[in-house]
Amino acid sequence: MIVIRKSGERGHADHGWLNTYHTFSFASYYDPGHMGFRALRVINEDRVRQGQGFPMHPHRDMEIISYVLEGALEHRDSMGNSSVIRPGEVQRMSAGTGITHSEFNHFKDEPVHSLQIWILPDNEGVTPGYEQKFFPDTEKRKNLRLVASWDGRGGSVTINQDANLYAVLLEKGEEVVHPIPASRHAWVQVARGKVLVNDHLLGPGDGAAASDEDRLVISGQETAELLVFDLA
């Protein structure tokens, strides 16, 4: 079964400095029918204006993944990490017992467009941790490139949950197939472009939950970038 979550159905807030869309309930947006999917709790699509951002704020017991589409996101945290996240890079932060961090648009003359993803950990109270890795486009073209996993295999960042996150780039007419083992589930999030997912047309910002399916067949309808979550 495939259940579509259209872009226009998401929660939305425009704070001036931040234009954000929430696939699942977040902050002031609450929808009891969309509290997450399996261990996937948050997908926020954020556009932050030049020189603006989120000041220091706390998190705990959450696996937080940042995926930048355009621009650059400047990160600082209470563990002493300081970095700039650019397109192609994936940052993983395990909040665990508690951290504080800030995220700002690194540039003064252009916005930053990014996805922030929260995944519930399999255990609470883990030691906070941090990783950031670069995955070139060549590894994602017509290929499901593993970028986050529970065991860090294939050079992916490591998360404290039985989940796998893949990134893929497709051109029109290209296709990838993702097998779904029995008892597992999948979520597809389209970052840009259009694709067919098991014959369902998805556009920018659209998502799709897959349960009781044995595979996903994803076909590019135009130049597209998307994320595929494999979930217990």
Side-chain angles (χ1 to χ4, degrees), residues 127-143:
T127 301
Y130 175 92
E131 278 183 286
Q132 185 171 322
K133 294 187 175 181
F134 175 70
F135 301 91
D137 286 356
T138 52
E139 297 180 2
K140 293 177 281 189
R141 293 202 182 282
K142 201 180 174 182
N143 181 54

Side-chain angles (χ1 to χ4, degrees), residues 5 10-13 15 18-29 34 40-48 54 57 59 64-69 73 103 112-118 187 189 191 205 227 229:
R5 175 70 158 153
R10 297 178 295 175
H12 176 235
H15 302 286
L18 168 68
N19 190 14
T20 180
Y21 289 85
H22 310 309
T23 295
F24 305 116
S25 293
F26 185 84
S28 61
Y29 168 64
H34 294 92
L40 179 58
R41 177 61 187 84
V42 166
I43 303 177
N44 289 346
E45 182 180 5
D46 296 335
R47 288 177 172 85
V48 179
F54 304 89
H57 57 283
H59 291 290
I64 301 171
I65 297 171
S66 296
Y67 188 94
V68 173
L69 296 164
L73 195 62
E103 293 173 315
V112 61
H113 181 197
S114 66
L115 298 176
Q116 185 172 95
I117 296 152
W118 293 9
W187 181 277
Q189 187 69 29
L227 300 178
F229 299 81

Side-chain angles (χ1 to χ4, degrees), residues 28-212:
S28 61
Y29 168 64
Y30 175 71
D31 181 344
H34 294 92
M35 295 299 297
F37 180 69
R38 313 301 295 181
L40 179 58
R41 177 61 187 84
V42 166
I43 303 177
N44 289 346
E45 182 180 5
D46 296 335
R47 288 177 172 85
V48 179
R49 291 183 64 181
Q50 301 89 320
Q52 301 293 311
F54 304 89
M56 280 287 183
H57 57 283
H59 291 290
R60 63 180 300 120
D61 293 321
M62 195 66 67
E63 301 295 296
I64 301 171
I65 297 171
S66 296
Y67 188 94
V68 173
L69 296 164
E70 297 174 293
L73 195 62
E74 186 173 322
H75 167 91
R76 297 181 187 273
D77 64 45
S78 56
M79 293 180 284
N81 298 300
S82 177
S83 66
V84 176
I85 315 164
R86 294 180 169 85
E89 293 180 309
V90 174
Q91 181 205 77
R92 181 273 301 175
M93 189 170 56
S94 296
T97 53
I99 59 166
T100 58
H101 77 123
S102 66
E103 293 173 315
F104 277 81
N105 187 337
H106 181 64
F107 293 123
K108 306 300 182 185
D109 57 354
E110 61 181 274
V112 61
H113 181 197
S114 66
L115 298 176
Q116 185 172 95
I117 296 152
W118 293 9
I119 295 175
L120 296 166
D122 54 7
N123 288 296
E124 296 184 348
V126 301
T127 301
Y130 175 92
E131 278 183 286
Q132 185 171 322
K133 294 187 175 181
F134 175 70
F135 301 91
D137 286 356
T138 52
E139 297 180 2
K140 293 177 281 189
R141 293 202 182 282
K142 201 180 174 182
N143 181 54
L144 287 155
R145 176 49 162 116
L146 185 68
V147 298
S149 65
W150 65 271
D151 58 355
R153 67 189 182 280
S156 59
V157 301
T158 305
I159 54 176
N160 293 291
Q161 179 54 265
D162 180 10
N164 303 296
L165 171 59
Y166 301 87
V168 59
L169 300 172
L170 292 174
E171 297 295 333
K172 183 176 181 179
E174 294 181 339
E175 180 178 286
V176 292
V177 177
H178 174 65
I180 306 175
S183 79
R184 293 190 71 86
H185 308 259
W187 181 277
V188 177
Q189 187 69 29
V190 180
R192 47 190 160 200
K194 294 181 180 179
V195 296
L196 283 178
V197 178
N198 292 17
D199 295 324
H200 297 273
L201 181 63
L202 301 183
D206 292 348
S211 297
D212 298 319

